[in-house]
Amino acid sequence: QKSHNLQIQIKADNSIFLNGKQIELDDLETKIREVAQSIPDKSLHIKADKEVSHGTVVKVMDTAKICGLEKIVIISKRK
């Protein structure tokens, strides 16, 4: 089953998952570019735990924009 958008989850310990696979922040741009080629609507959904710093979320958003993703949706996780 293919998704029509990319999904990034950021956990409280700042671990990052791209479409369910754990990746390092340093590899994020490369991984987004690889996966984004097969995503027609160029959107990203970010799910971040409440404890995640805003700085981490902003880094992810900036990287997504650099990679050409046009729509970014932030979904905050409630306890």
Side-chain angles (χ1 to χ4, degrees):
Q1 174 182 347
K2 278 197 171 184
S3 177
H4 294 290
N5 56 55
L6 295 175
Q7 296 183 10
I8 291 180
Q9 181 178 10
I10 310 169
K11 298 200 174 195
D13 63 359
N14 284 327
S15 57
I16 298 174
F17 295 80
L18 175 62
N19 288 349
K21 295 180 181 176
Q22 187 167 3
I23 60 169
E24 297 297 321
L25 185 59
D26 292 342
D27 298 329
L28 187 60
E29 183 174 348
T30 302
K31 297 296 183 185
I32 287 177
R33 288 188 189 278
E34 288 172 4
V35 178
Q37 294 175 0
S38 63
I39 305 297
D41 82 354
K42 304 297 180 209
S43 69
L44 170 66
H45 292 183
I46 300 173
K47 295 180 184 178
D49 286 352
K50 184 178 178 181
E51 297 82 7
V52 172
S53 74
H54 288 96
T56 301
V57 175
V58 169
K59 283 181 189 176
V60 170
M61 291 174 63
D62 287 346
T63 301
K65 288 178 184 176
I66 289 168
C67 293
L69 296 178
E70 299 162 1
K71 181 179 176 186
I72 299 172
V73 178
I74 298 175
I75 304 163
S76 60
K77 187 175 180 181
R78 297 180 186 212
K79 283 189 170 186

